[in-house]
């Protein structure tokens, strides 16, 4: 498995630091965001280290599809049956803070605001 020593999400994959995991298989892990912006806020990440969506290429196609399909499956399990928001921040312009590819899956009983801002 590819890994990067200084990557916090690789450490979560290796269980070197704890996370509230909600799903895991051979390829991906989903866990609750440490700083949730809504009642449901989890991240879906690949187990291999891929820095961002910008670093993805054709060989990652199946993995990306798997990650995207997990979003509705896990959101429904968490009770968000009426919808949710997916966000993939990419690069400095996209506001990416952790350079290990991740999909944010964010949901609430009520309609989410048009834009979600991280608290500082
Ligand atoms: P980005 O801005 O890179 O798209 O978002 C990174 C996300 O990772 C943030 O929402 C942040 O709260 C979350 N995060 C950063 N470090 C940790 C951690 O150690 N554990 C968990 N569960 N989430 C983290
Ligand atoms: Zn990593």
């Amino acid at each position: 498995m590819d890994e990067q020593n200084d990557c916090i999400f690789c450490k979560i994959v290796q269980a070197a630091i704890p996370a509230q995991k909600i799903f895991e298989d051979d390829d991906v892990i989903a866990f609750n965001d440490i700083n949730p912006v809504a009642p449901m806020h989890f991240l879906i990440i690949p187990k291999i280290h891929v820095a961002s969506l910008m670093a993805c290429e054709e060989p990652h196609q199946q993995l990306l599809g798997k990650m995207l399909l997990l979003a509705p499956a896990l959101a429904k399990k968490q009770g968000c049956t009426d919808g949710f928001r997916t966000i993939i921040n990419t690069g400095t312009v996209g506001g990416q803070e952790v350079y290990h590819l991740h999909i944010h899956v964010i949901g609430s009983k009520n309609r989410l605001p048009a834009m979600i801002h991280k608290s500082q």
Side-chain angles (χ1 to χ4, degrees):
M1 185 186 302
D2 295 340
E3 57 190 56
Q4 285 217 335
N5 288 335
D6 57 346
C7 173
I8 192 126
F9 287 178
C10 281
K11 289 194 172 79
I12 287 175
V13 170
Q14 297 151 25
I17 66 162
Q20 272 195 310
K21 285 183 203 167
I22 59 170
F23 179 85
E24 178 168 13
D25 71 6
D26 288 345
D27 305 312
V28 301
I29 296 187
F31 54 91
N32 288 329
D33 197 292
I34 206 166
N35 187 20
V37 297
M40 180 185 78
H41 184 176
F42 62 86
L43 306 173
I44 302 172
I45 72 167
K47 284 192 168 178
I48 58 166
H49 181 85
V50 182
S52 78
L53 195 56
M54 203 78 96
C56 288
E57 293 178 337
E58 200 274 336
H60 299 108
Q61 188 170 323
Q62 199 172 348
L63 181 63
L64 288 167
K66 183 174 192 171
M67 289 170 64
L68 208 50
L69 276 176
L70 259 178
L74 296 178
K76 276 184 224 160
K77 274 194 185 163
Q78 306 243 332
C80 286
T81 51
D82 292 334
F84 54 88
R85 186 165 299 159
T86 44
I87 299 173
I88 307 176
N89 295 320
T90 303
T92 46
V93 170
Q96 186 174 0
E97 288 176 356
V98 177
Y99 278 78
H100 181 129
L101 176 66
H102 51 281
I103 302 177
H104 294 258
V105 185
I106 297 164
S108 173
K109 286 200 192 323
N110 305 310
R111 190 187 177 97
L112 294 166
M115 295 287 281
I116 294 174
H117 299 280
K118 291 179 192 171
S119 55
Q120 297 302 315

